[in-house]
Amino acid sequence: MADYRMDADHPGVAATRGVQNVLGKPLDRIDGVAKVTGTAPYGYERRVEGDIAYGFAITAPAAKGAVRNIDTDAARALPGVIDIIVDDPRIARQAAAFAPAATGNDRIDHWDQVIGVAVAETFEAARAAARAVVVDIAVEEGRYDTLAGRNDASPPPKDSRLQDRTIGDFDGAMADGEITLDQSYSTPNHVHAAMEPHASIARWDDGALTVWSSLQILSNARNILAQAFDLPHDKVRVISPYIGGGFGGKGGIGPETVLAVIAAQKLGRPVKIAMTRQQLFHNVYRRTDTHQRLRLAADAEGRLTALGHDSLLSQGPDGGFMEPVALGSLGLYGAPARRFTHRVVTLDMVMAGAVRAPGEAVGMLALESAMDEMAEKVGLDPIEFRKRNEPEVDPTTGKPFSSRRFIECLETGAERFGWDRREATPGMRREGEWLIGMGVAGAFRINLLVTGKARVQLMPDGTATVETDMTDIGTGTYTVTAQVAGEALGLPVEQVKVALGDTAFPPGSGSGGSFGAAATASSVALACEDIVAELAKRMDADPADMTLKDGHAIAGNRRVPFSELVGSAPIEGLGTIEQGRNAETYSQAAYGAQFAEVAVNAVTGEVRVRRMLGVFDAGRILNYKTAHSQAIGGMIWGIGYALHEDAVLDKRTGQFVNHDLGEYHIPAHADVPPLDVLFLEEPDLHANPVGVKGLGELSISGAGAAVTNAIYNACGVRVRDFPLTLDKIIADLPPV
Amino acid sequence: MQFTINGTVHEADIDVRTSLLDLLREHLGLTGSKKGCDHGQCGACTVLVNGRRINSCLTLAVMHQDDEITTIEGIGTPDELAPLQAAFVKHDGFQCGYCTPGQICSATGMLDEVKKGWPSHVSEALDGQVDLTDTEISERMSGNLCRCSAYPNIVAAIREAAGLAPVEHEVVGEDA
Ligand code: FES
Ligand code: FES
């Protein structure tokens, strides 16, 4: 049993000393063939035993009110209908994030709220039945406008990561600042829009529940289900071997999970339910709209003397999670006087929750726009301005950085991107109808570590097996896990079998907060320590004097194949990593620099992103190929946040009017230019034993601001109300 | 009713409301085709009908009893990958993989359209040979959304499968 708490740096694991030479290599995904041939089974596609029935969620056509009546007669009379369930007290009102959601369907607290389920022999019959249910609601006036509610806003919830914080005399520093900036920026509601909708199959067998689903953190899902259905943990099994994207939206359980479990219990048959794309917009937590005020003061040399970031946000009626908008502002730039606040307005909407990089994804749009504006005011190149404000230690906590190569990211990127070709004055570069500009932004994402456990077995045939309930949501977990175990044990990845996504395995961290790679790599590396120690014993050698390569242990003058050393029973290792005092000792974050070149049409205001570069300091890179994919994925999300994504709320009715993929625009092929990525690799051993830092969220941070700063550089138009659709740009374009 | 899928005749007794996508996924166990929106807006369900790409969620199965349907399962198998499939693996043209069968079916149909000289919105001319630039590929593939945003890698994979030179920008890092 190799357990390690990060109270101090780990003395060193075999996985980082290995000679197999697979760790970090840009290997093809080991689950790649299954994915390109359509043979990878996603949760909803599992052919489960039993006579499966189809469910379809019944939802409310109003955002606030009391349910007067639910008429199910017409629905029940339709052919193929088995049951219409609207009277189960466990029906959840919201998707569950970290605990069972509030229940009950007598009141409606957000548009399209789930109030029951129609179950039928076929999908078509269930859908028709759900739509035939007539829900009568006494509609009440609701609150749908964050700005209108600002006077009734609440301070951060007690358990929120960010509380109000003021350091120094902020107001005085603003008043005395030689150069100051005071600007407001806003971002709209965002949705995850993972390509696979939330979908679940539930089956009961003798009081035990099995759920096949599309979820990110299975032990969390299991806890929620055990609580919600009053079951001991060992009677709940959750299976999600393949997940069609999560982005934070599948952190708990989906509303359909609860419905499937209820229906399967009542019917005594397995039941499968997929949420429709339209239902997802209102039934999975959203990213709140944000209204941010950035205040900066600087001396004549461009050194910041004050930095303030105040945010107004929204949340649903049950409260909870708060988008930590200022996260990036806390640690990125020095300034003796600092101020960070958040206020939350309660709306009658689906709850707000985690979407990729909660905090930085939107906070950095504003901070890095403001830094660009301020650079111009102080008369410095935006990169030079950032360099002048590089702190020695974390400027908010005073703690040393565990690792930080922010300036190097900016400098290396500038060189590679050809930053010296940028005109300092906007509107100077023109190609026909198109105005060309370049922009830069910093990237920052806090680095987290959570508890994760993994089992590794070296089998009698000399191959290895890794088991953990960790998930692969497209992040490459299968592959990097095989690489870590392969490096530690001296095995090619083909000889490492990785089994994920099943609560029958030891509980991993799950996927979220960019902590998955660190927790999984560390727990697998620790589990391998057990095996290495046992192999050394059998080789009569010290682990440090033994080399493992290509399935052989080499020590002294002997080279012995594992199949000989293992014997008839597998050698097992169980590794657990836990966060510890290092989280307090060091300021931990991943850093980067984002560069963009855009063309803005001088006549229409249309924006084309022409190329981008992201340079990232994300600790050790476990696989250059999958890391590159995560990086470009985040940068493209940045393009979406800068230019496209906007869940438009109808402030009269509380519904998103563009609740589908045709109207909520995410970037498509034609929106994406060539993207260049560079990693400045440096293992951060203060962070975890393998030295990984989070990457999946870092890559979105600042990406959108690089685009909008480039737009400003191209045409001189600064839009502070995201996204920068062409109607907002054309309004301020100079006359043609 | 009878359907010819990947060259095999299947019998299915289905509701007339069943979409071609649900026929494949729910009745025939061909779950390689994915449902992302059920609404013609994402492309995850793309299959080939008589060689042409189509959103299988937007068409009823009963309309296709005389058609030849090709799904991802008919494009290639784990033991015998089609060139596009192998190129997607090599260039990491996906992350979660959920849009991938649709991207590959769509690219298969797209390359055939290019071969036939069909123009796109960004083509220089309306007839004659299409110069398959990255812009052409991106334009023609824009009906297939990928939220993981593997787009540049998908373009690289399609280029390779189409026999074009590799993309210049595929630099992945210091020591890669
Ligand atoms: S599922 Fe058919 S286009 Fe989205
Ligand atoms: S690979 Fe996940 S949506 Fe394309």
Side-chain angles (χ1 to χ4, degrees):
Chain A
M1 287 268 282
D3 291 2
Y4 194 77
R5 233 178 96 100
M6 282 307 290
D7 286 331
D9 296 2
H10 192 279
V13 287
T16 63
R17 295 189 303 264
V19 295
Q20 189 63 33
N21 205 19
V22 290
L23 194 62
K25 288 287 159 294
L27 304 183
D28 292 347
R29 283 173 203 258
I30 61 176
D31 50 335
V33 167
K35 285 178 174 174
V36 300
T37 53
T39 52
Y42 295 76
Y44 184 81
E45 296 164 357
R46 193 57 74 99
R47 301 229 117 180
V48 307
E49 255 171 65
D51 185 12
I52 201 142
Y54 288 81
F56 197 98
I58 302 164
T59 60
K64 189 176 186 188
V67 176
R68 277 193 293 239
N69 186 42
I70 305 174
D71 183 351
T72 63
D73 290 355
R76 285 182 198 280
L78 290 171
V81 174
I82 304 167
D83 204 348
I84 309 288
I85 304 172
V86 289
D87 55 359
D88 194 301
R90 298 169 300 184
I91 292 170
R93 281 194 278 119
Q94 304 256 1
F98 282 94
T103 54
N105 60 1
D106 53 332
R107 284 204 54 83
I108 302 305
D109 68 12
H110 66 280
W111 184 271
D112 213 31
Q113 176 185 316
V114 166
I115 51 178
V117 58
V119 199
E121 298 295 344
T122 65
F123 168 71
E124 293 76 22
R127 180 178 57 193
R131 290 181 178 164
V133 172
V134 182
V135 187
D136 178 20
I137 298 166
V139 178
E140 298 163 16
E141 189 89 358
R143 300 156 293 180
Y144 310 121
D145 188 338
T146 306
L147 289 174
R150 68 188 318 157
N151 294 333
D152 300 321
S154 329
K158 294 256 164 328
D159 56 353
S160 176
R161 189 181 289 284
L162 287 189
Q163 299 297 325
D164 287 355
R165 183 137 196 201
T166 303
I167 297 171
D169 176 11
F170 179 77
D171 292 333
M174 280 305 295
D176 296 345
E178 282 179 62
I179 303 153
T180 59
L181 173 136
D182 183 350
Q183 283 294 357
S184 296
Y185 304 83
S186 64
T187 62
N189 284 287
H190 291 140
V191 301
H192 310 89
M195 291 309 298
E196 184 193 21
H198 288 57
S200 297
I201 303 175
R203 192 183 69 201
W204 290 85
D205 303 280
D206 299 327
L209 171 65
T210 308
V211 168
W212 291 265
S213 191
S214 179
L215 300 171
Q216 296 178 219
I217 309 179
L218 301 194
S219 50
N220 182 33
R222 167 146 94 164
N223 288 344
I224 295 172
L225 286 169
Q227 267 186 62
F229 292 92
D230 202 13
L231 291 166
H233 280 215
D234 61 355
K235 293 280 187 213
V236 182
R237 182 172 173 195
V238 182
I239 303 174
S240 284
Y242 292 96
I243 296 109
F247 313 113
K250 296 171 178 171
I253 56 173
E256 89 296 343
T257 320
V258 178
L259 296 178
V261 174
I262 289 172
Q265 193 174 34
K266 183 157 184 217
L267 267 54
R269 288 169 66 172
V271 172
K272 67 194 293 194
I273 308 179
M275 299 295 283
T276 68
R277 178 56 60 186
Q278 292 85 344
Q279 288 170 343
L280 291 170
F281 276 77
H282 295 108
N283 280 294
V284 176
Y285 41 87
R286 65 199 155 93
R287 188 201 301 278
T288 173
D289 52 327
T290 71
H291 308 271
Q292 308 176 44
R293 181 181 184 192
L294 262 294
R295 281 180 286 175
L296 301 173
D299 63 19
E301 276 75 56
R303 260 178 291 271
L304 289 171
T305 52
L307 190 163
H309 195 166
D310 302 300
S311 301
L312 186 71
L313 316 165
S314 71
Q315 179 51 286
D318 291 332
F321 174 90
M322 182 192 81
E323 179 94 17
V325 179
L327 266 185
S329 300
L330 293 181
L332 201 47
Y333 303 113
R338 314 174 73 76
R339 173 191 149 104
F340 309 100
T341 69
H342 295 75
R343 290 291 175 272
V344 186
V345 175
T346 303
L347 298 181
D348 297 298
M349 287 180 72
V350 68
M351 64 198 271
V355 183
R356 194 175 195 169
E360 292 94 332
V362 283
M364 293 289 286
L365 287 175
L367 174 71
E368 291 302 281
S369 297
M371 286 296 286
D372 200 62
E373 295 190 49
M374 192 66 173
E376 189 180 37
K377 282 192 168 212
V378 301
L380 288 175
D381 176 87
I383 292 177
E384 177 56 31
F385 178 49
R386 286 173 173 82
K387 279 161 71 174
R388 287 207 189 164
N389 290 289
E390 172 72 359
E392 298 268 308
V393 293
D394 186 305
T396 296
T397 62
K399 290 173 186 170
F401 298 116
S402 60
S403 63
R404 170 160 165 143
R405 297 174 78 181
F406 180 49
I407 298 301
E408 221 179 314
C409 289
L410 286 165
E411 288 177 338
T412 316
E415 163 101 29
R416 189 173 169 110
F417 197 66
W419 185 251
D420 57 354
R421 296 201 303 275
R422 172 183 180 267
E423 300 283 351
T425 311
M428 300 302 286
R429 228 178 111 193
R430 192 172 177 132
E431 292 174 13
E433 263 182 27
W434 297 90
L435 296 163
I436 315 298
M438 287 190 200
V440 69
F444 173 101
R445 173 65 186 164
I446 49 159
N447 188 59
L448 304 171
L449 180 65
V450 301
T451 304
K453 215 188 246 304
R455 180 190 300 125
V456 181
Q457 288 175 295
L458 193 56
M459 309 306 277
D461 65 0
T463 65
T465 304
V466 184
E467 292 171 333
T468 163
D469 83 354
M470 175 61 190
T471 49
D472 187 330
I473 61 173
T475 37
T477 315
Y478 279 106
T479 312
V480 299
T481 299
Q483 287 175 274
V484 172
E487 194 66 43
L489 299 176
L491 285 170
V493 289
E494 298 75 39
Q495 292 182 29
V496 182
K497 189 171 149 257
V498 182
L500 303 176
D502 185 337
T503 54
F505 305 139
S509 64
S511 303
S514 294
F515 49 62
T520 308
S522 299
S523 58
V524 170
L526 290 167
C528 291
E529 291 297 288
D530 286 351
I531 297 174
V532 171
E534 180 60 29
L535 286 174
K537 207 158 96 197
R538 295 185 191 185
M539 285 293 285
D540 246 337
D542 193 272
D545 301 332
M546 179 179 70
T547 303
L548 302 175
K549 182 140 205 298
D550 296 330
H552 290 74
I554 305 150
N557 289 327
R558 294 194 306 143
R559 183 171 184 273
V560 189
F562 291 162
S563 52
E564 246 172 64
L565 282 172
V566 175
S568 58
I571 303 178
E572 181 171 309
L574 194 61
T576 307
I577 183 72
E578 262 181 85
Q579 184 57 289
R581 280 196 300 275
N582 272 21
E584 295 307 314
T585 311
Y586 300 100
S587 167
Q588 296 189 23
Y591 298 90
Q594 308 263 13
F595 293 81
E597 180 178 293
V598 306
V600 180
N601 190 290
V603 181
T604 65
E606 180 188 355
V607 175
R608 305 298 303 167
V609 182
R610 302 222 297 193
R611 61 191 181 101
M612 285 180 82
L613 162 67
V615 184
F616 301 111
D617 154 23
R620 183 190 297 281
I621 301 301
L622 297 173
N623 178 321
Y624 267 91
K625 188 178 287 198
T626 57
H628 175 263
S629 292
Q630 273 199 296
I632 60 170
M635 290 161 71
I636 293 168
W637 274 57
I639 296 176
Y641 279 14
L643 302 179
H644 312 128
E645 293 190 38
D646 183 357
V648 179
L649 188 70
D650 180 342
K651 296 201 174 87
R652 300 162 305 174
T653 59
Q655 73 165 312
F656 291 127
V657 291
N658 55 344
H659 54 274
D660 62 36
L661 294 175
E663 298 295 326
Y664 181 90
H665 290 170
I666 63 171
H669 271 280
D671 297 311
V672 178
L675 302 177
D676 186 12
V677 173
L678 182 73
F679 295 111
L680 301 183
E681 182 173 1
E682 176 183 277
D684 184 342
L685 296 172
H686 300 319
N688 53 72
V690 184
V692 184
K693 296 199 281 190
L695 172 64
E697 298 176 311
L698 172 68
S699 54
I700 183 177
S701 179
V707 172
T708 57
N709 291 341
I711 292 172
Y712 176 74
N713 182 245
C715 66
V717 179
R718 176 72 67 181
V719 178
R720 301 183 184 87
D721 176 24
F722 289 85
L724 276 65
T725 45
L726 52 84
D727 52 307
K728 296 178 192 168
I729 294 171
I730 201 171
D732 286 330
L733 275 181
V736 182
Chain B
M1 283 176 250
Q2 277 194 353
F3 300 93
T4 310
I5 322 255
N6 302 326
T8 307
V9 177
H10 295 262
E11 296 274 344
D13 178 18
I14 54 161
D15 191 316
V16 288
R17 296 169 293 186
T18 308
S19 68
L20 176 56
L21 176 61
D22 285 327
L23 167 74
L24 297 169
R25 283 171 64 80
E26 304 301 335
H27 296 268
L28 304 180
L30 294 167
T31 53
S33 306
K34 304 302 181 195
K35 185 187 282 192
C37 69
D38 212 8
H39 211 56
Q41 296 179 327
C42 75
C45 62
T46 308
V47 302
L48 301 169
V49 173
N50 304 324
R52 278 190 66 179
R53 52 184 173 155
I54 171 175
N55 288 337
S56 64
C57 71
L58 269 196
T59 188
L60 296 172
V62 290
M63 298 158 65
H64 297 284
Q65 296 176 76
D66 300 321
D67 291 329
E68 294 277 343
I69 314 286
T70 306
T71 68
I72 190 69
E73 290 90 347
I75 300 267
T77 61
D79 296 329
E80 217 171 315
L81 293 182
L84 263 170
Q85 291 170 315
F88 266 67
V89 173
K90 177 175 163 194
H91 293 277
D92 215 31
F94 52 90
Q95 288 195 60
C96 77
Y98 199 75
C99 73
T100 313
Q103 302 274 2
I104 292 172
C105 286
S106 186
T108 306
M110 185 273 286
L111 291 175
D112 190 51
E113 291 159 20
V114 167
K115 211 186 289 164
K116 291 183 178 137
W118 296 6
S120 82
H121 174 67
V122 298
S123 302
E124 293 288 330
L126 293 184
D127 52 8
Q129 226 191 318
V130 179
D131 178 15
L132 194 59
T133 60
D134 289 358
T135 311
E136 277 283 358
I137 296 175
S138 294
E139 171 64 26
R140 290 165 185 267
M141 291 299 294
S142 278
N144 291 83
L145 297 177
C146 175
R147 186 52 156 169
C148 297
S149 302
Y151 300 119
N153 296 355
I154 295 171
V155 172
I158 294 173
R159 286 184 70 98
E160 168 152 337
L164 301 169
V167 192
E168 248 175 60
H169 280 269
E170 265 192 294
V171 186
V172 297
E174 284 179 317
D175 29 306

